[in-house]
Amino acid sequence: MPVQVRFSETDAFGHLNNTNAFVYFEDARIALFKELGLMQKWSKASYSQIIVVADLQCDFHKQVPFDEQLQVGVKVQRLGTSSVDLHYVAVTSKGDICLTGRGTIVQISKETGRGVAFDEEARKLLAD
């Protein structure tokens, strides 16, 4: 997905503030889950499960200046019983990798806060 680095996302040195990489990863993750039709299910008030971020990390390979046009990608790396490991990459307009990351998302019960196994439909969507 395309991301244009806004002025407000830069720091005093004129490059991307490190916290914004996680926002870009979130946007890519939500876009993926929407494309799969899963986000619509998880965001319904009547649905008994939600997803939460269990961990998230980012490696910064190259400085990213204001107004840079990035392409941010996300893919499923590993599917667990109630968790999914995602890998992220952001590439500059020149084709340079500037950010990579990984994270684990867990489906939990709204009531108990404990992990809930993905149903077969979700497993199929996430595995493809």
Side-chain angles (χ1 to χ4, degrees):
M1 69 175 251
V3 173
Q4 186 84 26
V5 176
R6 295 178 291 188
F7 182 77
S8 64
E9 296 171 335
T10 62
D11 59 21
F13 299 109
H15 64 261
L16 182 69
N17 182 291
N18 59 1
T19 60
N20 288 297
F22 296 100
V23 175
Y24 299 164
F25 291 171
E26 176 185 55
D27 287 346
R29 178 174 66 245
I30 289 172
L32 171 66
F33 291 153
K34 281 182 176 179
E35 184 179 315
L36 297 175
L38 295 170
M39 199 69 207
Q40 297 84 330
K41 182 167 61 171
W42 287 319
S43 59
K44 284 184 184 174
S46 61
Y47 196 66
S48 61
Q49 289 97 30
I50 58 173
I51 54 168
V52 295
V53 174
D55 76 297
L56 193 56
Q57 70 95 157
C58 180
D59 292 317
F60 301 87
H61 301 279
K62 189 173 184 76
Q63 291 186 34
V64 180
F66 159 67
D67 213 28
E68 177 66 64
Q69 180 70 42
L70 301 176
Q71 290 293 323
V72 180
V74 59
K75 71 174 185 173
V76 172
Q77 181 64 26
R78 186 192 66 81
L79 181 58
T81 303
S82 63
S83 66
V84 60
D85 288 343
L86 301 173
H87 283 197
Y88 305 90
V89 65
V91 179
T92 68
S93 58
K94 293 180 181 175
D96 297 326
I97 293 175
C98 56
L99 307 167
T100 56
R102 59 150 306 280
T104 301
I105 308 302
V106 180
Q107 178 177 253
I108 65 168
S109 163
K110 287 181 185 176
E111 186 178 321
T112 67
R114 294 184 185 191
V116 175
F118 292 118
D119 62 26
E120 284 306 311
E121 177 189 12
R123 293 189 69 73
K124 180 172 177 14
L125 292 167
L126 290 165
D128 287 343

